[in-house]
PDB file of all heavy atoms in Angstrom:
ATOM      1  N   ILE A 822       5.077   8.477  -3.628  1.00 90.00           N
ATOM      2  CA  ILE A 822       6.520   8.686  -3.451  1.00 90.00           C
ATOM      3  C   ILE A 822       6.763   9.050  -1.990  1.00 90.00           C
ATOM      4  O   ILE A 822       6.430  10.154  -1.552  1.00 90.00           O
ATOM      5  CB  ILE A 822       7.049   9.802  -4.369  1.00 90.00           C
ATOM      6  CG1 ILE A 822       6.738   9.483  -5.833  1.00 90.00           C
ATOM      7  CG2 ILE A 822       8.551   9.982  -4.179  1.00 90.00           C
ATOM      8  CD1 ILE A 822       7.118  10.585  -6.789  1.00 90.00           C
ATOM      9  N   LEU A 823       7.341   8.114  -1.237  1.00 90.00           N
ATOM     10  CA  LEU A 823       7.579   8.318   0.189  1.00 90.00           C
ATOM     11  C   LEU A 823       9.059   8.148   0.481  1.00 90.00           C
ATOM     12  O   LEU A 823       9.616   7.060   0.299  1.00 90.00           O
ATOM     13  CB  LEU A 823       6.761   7.319   1.018  1.00 90.00           C
ATOM     14  CG  LEU A 823       5.249   7.276   0.752  1.00 90.00           C
ATOM     15  CD1 LEU A 823       4.589   6.212   1.611  1.00 90.00           C
ATOM     16  CD2 LEU A 823       4.617   8.635   0.996  1.00 90.00           C
ATOM     17  N   SER A 824       9.691   9.221   0.912  1.00 82.00           N
ATOM     18  CA  SER A 824      11.110   9.189   1.296  1.00 82.00           C
ATOM     19  C   SER A 824      11.975   8.563   0.219  1.00 82.00           C
ATOM     20  O   SER A 824      12.903   7.802   0.504  1.00 82.00           O
ATOM     21  CB  SER A 824      11.288   8.416   2.611  1.00 82.00           C
ATOM     22  OG  SER A 824      10.533   8.998   3.639  1.00 82.00           O
ATOM     23  N   SER A 825      11.668   8.858  -1.017  1.00 69.00           N
ATOM     24  CA  SER A 825      12.445   8.307  -2.123  1.00 69.00           C
ATOM     25  C   SER A 825      13.181   9.421  -2.839  1.00 69.00           C
ATOM     26  O   SER A 825      13.604  10.386  -2.213  1.00 69.00           O
ATOM     27  CB  SER A 825      11.522   7.529  -3.074  1.00 69.00           C
ATOM     28  OG  SER A 825      11.026   6.363  -2.439  1.00 69.00           O
ATOM     29  N   CYS A 846       0.318  10.517  -3.796  1.00 96.00           N
ATOM     30  CA  CYS A 846       0.620  10.416  -2.367  1.00 96.00           C
ATOM     31  C   CYS A 846       2.070  10.841  -2.139  1.00 96.00           C
ATOM     32  O   CYS A 846       2.987  10.291  -2.756  1.00 96.00           O
ATOM     33  CB  CYS A 846       0.403   8.989  -1.869  1.00 96.00           C
ATOM     34  SG  CYS A 846       0.784   8.754  -0.114  1.00 96.00           S
ATOM     35  N   LEU A 847       2.265  11.830  -1.275  1.00 94.00           N
ATOM     36  CA  LEU A 847       3.591  12.306  -0.909  1.00 94.00           C
ATOM     37  C   LEU A 847       3.706  12.314   0.608  1.00 94.00           C
ATOM     38  O   LEU A 847       2.698  12.340   1.318  1.00 94.00           O
ATOM     39  CB  LEU A 847       3.828  13.726  -1.436  1.00 94.00           C
ATOM     40  CG  LEU A 847       3.736  13.952  -2.949  1.00 94.00           C
ATOM     41  CD1 LEU A 847       3.813  15.446  -3.246  1.00 94.00           C
ATOM     42  CD2 LEU A 847       4.842  13.216  -3.686  1.00 94.00           C
ATOM     43  N   ASP A 848       4.939  12.285   1.106  1.00 90.00           N
ATOM     44  CA  ASP A 848       5.131  12.463   2.540  1.00 90.00           C
ATOM     45  C   ASP A 848       5.830  13.791   2.792  1.00 90.00           C
ATOM     46  O   ASP A 848       6.128  14.540   1.859  1.00 90.00           O
ATOM     47  CB  ASP A 848       5.920  11.291   3.133  1.00 90.00           C
ATOM     48  CG  ASP A 848       7.336  11.189   2.580  1.00 90.00           C
ATOM     49  OD1 ASP A 848       7.640  11.892   1.595  1.00 90.00           O
ATOM     50  OD2 ASP A 848       8.129  10.398   3.125  1.00 90.00           O
ATOM     51  N   GLY A 849       6.070  14.070   4.062  1.00 87.00           N
ATOM     52  CA  GLY A 849       6.672  15.350   4.425  1.00 87.00           C
ATOM     53  C   GLY A 849       8.015  15.595   3.774  1.00 87.00           C
ATOM     54  O   GLY A 849       8.316  16.710   3.338  1.00 87.00           O
ATOM     55  N   SER A 850       8.846  14.551   3.672  1.00 85.00           N
ATOM     56  CA  SER A 850      10.170  14.729   3.076  1.00 85.00           C
ATOM     57  C   SER A 850      10.067  15.014   1.587  1.00 85.00           C
ATOM     58  O   SER A 850      10.861  15.777   1.032  1.00 85.00           O
ATOM     59  CB  SER A 850      11.042  13.487   3.324  1.00 85.00           C
ATOM     60  OG  SER A 850      10.527  12.365   2.663  1.00 85.00           O
ATOM     61  N   SER A 851       9.080  14.410   0.918  1.00 87.00           N
ATOM     62  CA  SER A 851       8.884  14.677  -0.504  1.00 87.00           C
ATOM     63  C   SER A 851       8.431  16.113  -0.735  1.00 87.00           C
ATOM     64  O   SER A 851       8.872  16.776  -1.678  1.00 87.00           O
ATOM     65  CB  SER A 851       7.854  13.701  -1.093  1.00 87.00           C
ATOM     66  OG  SER A 851       8.302  12.372  -0.982  1.00 87.00           O
ATOM     67  N   LEU A 852       7.554  16.601   0.138  1.00 87.00           N
ATOM     68  CA  LEU A 852       7.132  18.002   0.044  1.00 87.00           C
ATOM     69  C   LEU A 852       8.310  18.936   0.282  1.00 87.00           C
ATOM     70  O   LEU A 852       8.450  19.963  -0.383  1.00 87.00           O
ATOM     71  CB  LEU A 852       6.028  18.291   1.062  1.00 87.00           C
ATOM     72  CG  LEU A 852       4.592  17.976   0.666  1.00 87.00           C
ATOM     73  CD1 LEU A 852       3.650  18.324   1.809  1.00 87.00           C
ATOM     74  CD2 LEU A 852       4.189  18.712  -0.596  1.00 87.00           C
ATOM     75  N   LYS A 853       9.164  18.556   1.225  1.00 83.00           N
ATOM     76  CA  LYS A 853      10.351  19.368   1.512  1.00 83.00           C
ATOM     77  C   LYS A 853      11.252  19.427   0.283  1.00 83.00           C
ATOM     78  O   LYS A 853      11.801  20.494  -0.047  1.00 83.00           O
ATOM     79  CB  LYS A 853      11.102  18.772   2.702  1.00 83.00           C
ATOM     80  CG  LYS A 853      12.336  19.572   3.109  1.00 83.00           C
ATOM     81  CD  LYS A 853      13.025  18.919   4.303  1.00 83.00           C
ATOM     82  CE  LYS A 853      14.268  19.702   4.697  1.00 83.00           C
ATOM     83  NZ  LYS A 853      14.962  19.065   5.849  1.00 83.00           N
ATOM     84  N   ARG A 874      -2.872  12.719  -1.194  1.00 97.00           N
ATOM     85  CA  ARG A 874      -2.665  12.277   0.183  1.00 97.00           C
ATOM     86  C   ARG A 874      -1.285  12.713   0.635  1.00 97.00           C
ATOM     87  O   ARG A 874      -0.299  12.529  -0.088  1.00 97.00           O
ATOM     88  CB  ARG A 874      -2.804  10.757   0.282  1.00 97.00           C
ATOM     89  CG  ARG A 874      -2.677  10.224   1.705  1.00 97.00           C
ATOM     90  CD  ARG A 874      -2.956   8.732   1.735  1.00 97.00           C
ATOM     91  NE  ARG A 874      -2.924   8.205   3.096  1.00 97.00           N
ATOM     92  CZ  ARG A 874      -3.160   6.940   3.413  1.00 97.00           C
ATOM     93  NH1 ARG A 874      -3.485   6.073   2.449  1.00 97.00           N
ATOM     94  NH2 ARG A 874      -3.110   6.530   4.672  1.00 97.00           N
ATOM     95  N   ILE A 875      -1.217  13.287   1.831  1.00 95.00           N
ATOM     96  CA  ILE A 875       0.058  13.722   2.403  1.00 95.00           C
ATOM     97  C   ILE A 875       0.270  12.960   3.707  1.00 95.00           C
ATOM     98  O   ILE A 875      -0.532  13.060   4.640  1.00 95.00           O
ATOM     99  CB  ILE A 875       0.076  15.237   2.675  1.00 95.00           C
ATOM    100  CG1 ILE A 875      -0.222  16.015   1.392  1.00 95.00           C
ATOM    101  CG2 ILE A 875       1.426  15.659   3.246  1.00 95.00           C
ATOM    102  CD1 ILE A 875      -0.366  17.516   1.608  1.00 95.00           C
ATOM    103  N   CYS A 876       1.335  12.169   3.764  1.00 93.00           N
ATOM    104  CA  CYS A 876       1.637  11.360   4.945  1.00 93.00           C
ATOM    105  C   CYS A 876       2.723  12.029   5.781  1.00 93.00           C
ATOM    106  O   CYS A 876       3.628  12.677   5.249  1.00 93.00           O
ATOM    107  CB  CYS A 876       2.108   9.969   4.532  1.00 93.00           C
ATOM    108  SG  CYS A 876       0.938   9.053   3.527  1.00 93.00           S
ATOM    109  N   ASP A 877       2.641  11.858   7.081  1.00 90.00           N
ATOM    110  CA  ASP A 877       3.687  12.333   8.003  1.00 90.00           C
ATOM    111  C   ASP A 877       4.057  13.785   7.705  1.00 90.00           C
ATOM    112  O   ASP A 877       5.221  14.110   7.438  1.00 90.00           O
ATOM    113  CB  ASP A 877       4.929  11.443   7.903  1.00 90.00           C
ATOM    114  CG  ASP A 877       4.616   9.997   8.253  1.00 90.00           C
ATOM    115  OD1 ASP A 877       3.678   9.775   9.034  1.00 90.00           O
ATOM    116  OD2 ASP A 877       5.293   9.092   7.753  1.00 90.00           O
ATOM    117  N   LEU A 878       3.072  14.648   7.773  1.00 88.00           N
ATOM    118  CA  LEU A 878       3.282  16.060   7.468  1.00 88.00           C
ATOM    119  C   LEU A 878       3.907  16.783   8.654  1.00 88.00           C
ATOM    120  O   LEU A 878       3.274  16.944   9.694  1.00 88.00           O
ATOM    121  CB  LEU A 878       1.952  16.716   7.090  1.00 88.00           C
ATOM    122  CG  LEU A 878       1.985  18.226   6.836  1.00 88.00           C
ATOM    123  CD1 LEU A 878       2.943  18.564   5.693  1.00 88.00           C
ATOM    124  CD2 LEU A 878       0.591  18.762   6.558  1.00 88.00           C
TER     125      LEU A 878
END
Side-chain angles (χ1 to χ4, degrees):
I822 303 175
L823 306 178
S824 302
S825 292
C846 179
L847 301 172
D848 64 349
S850 65
S851 298
L852 275 180
K853 182 180 179 181
R874 183 175 184 179
I875 303 174
C876 302
D877 300 332
L878 176 60

